Amino acid sequence: MLKMTGLAKAYITSDIKTQALQPFDLAIGLGEFVSVIGPSGSGKTTFLNIAGLLENHSNGVYELDGQDVSKMSDKQKSAYRNEKIGFVFQSFNLIPELNLYDNIDMPLRYRKFNAKERDERIMKALEQVGLAGRKNHYPTQLSGGQQQRVAIARAIAGSPSVIFADEPTGNLDSKMAQGIMTLLQDINASGTTIIMVTHDNEQAQLAQRIVQIKDGVLSEESPVLTQAIA
């Protein structure tokens, strides 16, 4: 579903050019779980932003579902993000003034689902992450792990083809992180593609493939044996 050929990214100012990503080739198929690892500042988030249509690449070709991304208008990119992509961030990005139900409801309203379908999607997503009984709670009433589960529920409520997760366990203790990784594995097992940036090599090993980025250079992918978390 995702194919990058000779893709590169450079940031250019009036007096300096910074090559964030050197040219690389990468293909990720539908239903894969891929971890992207590397040290801070290596280009991982830049890669994820480009893959998730949040940022433009500088050179090369990026095809998403067979479409050349460079030929898509901003409106088309926005529509694709809303309909087919889910995002999970390290900082949860929940709206503190809204309860869990409404946090998940907001992006569904943009897609103009009717009230009945929105309710069905919200409750199904909350049940999947184990928080259906707390739909009226607010983010500040939850632990960090529970807030991340809400963020995942928000991502899956729209039935995305792919979820981009940027350090989804970065703010969690090991027990909470373990729960989030189990949840992501379950979502992937249902057919959703997951591309996860992480600094945790142990968690990276739970994916089907590993992509390493260092100093903007994407190394060979390392196949791993998918494991279930005990």
Side-chain angles (χ1 to χ4, degrees), residues 114-182:
N114 62 45
K116 182 176 183 294
E117 183 170 2
R118 294 202 317 273
D119 182 70
E120 290 174 351
R121 285 174 174 269
I122 293 166
M123 293 313 300
K124 181 180 178 180
L126 282 171
E127 287 169 8
Q128 191 168 349
V129 303
L131 289 172
R134 301 200 177 194
K135 67 177 184 178
N136 294 319
H137 284 61
Y138 289 82
T140 54
Q141 296 175 297
L142 305 180
S143 67
Q146 289 171 329
Q147 289 186 61
Q148 191 61 291
R149 285 179 176 271
V150 178
I152 292 172
R154 180 181 57 194
I156 63 177
S159 301
S161 300
V162 57
I163 289 177
F164 293 102
D166 191 1
E167 301 281 8
T169 64
N171 285 333
L172 307 178
D173 63 33
S174 59
K175 184 176 181 179
M176 289 181 178
Q178 179 178 339
I180 294 301
M181 289 305 301
T182 299

Side-chain angles (χ1 to χ4, degrees), residues 77-94:
K77 290 179 182 178
S78 179
Y80 192 100
R81 283 195 304 270
N82 289 338
E83 294 174 13
K84 296 189 177 184
I85 295 177
F87 292 97
V88 179
F89 301 100
Q90 178 177 352
S91 57
F92 318 138
N93 286 8
L94 300 176

Side-chain angles (χ1 to χ4, degrees), residues 42 72 77 99 107-108 162:
S42 61
M72 295 169 67
K77 290 179 182 178
N99 62 28
L108 298 179
V162 57

Side-chain angles (χ1 to χ4, degrees), residues 50-72:
I50 292 172
L53 304 181
L54 297 173
E55 190 172 339
N56 295 324
H57 57 286
S58 303
N59 300 98
V61 178
Y62 176 21
E63 294 176 283
L64 196 55
D65 276 348
Q67 300 183 64
D68 185 340
V69 168
S70 64
K71 295 180 181 179
M72 295 169 67

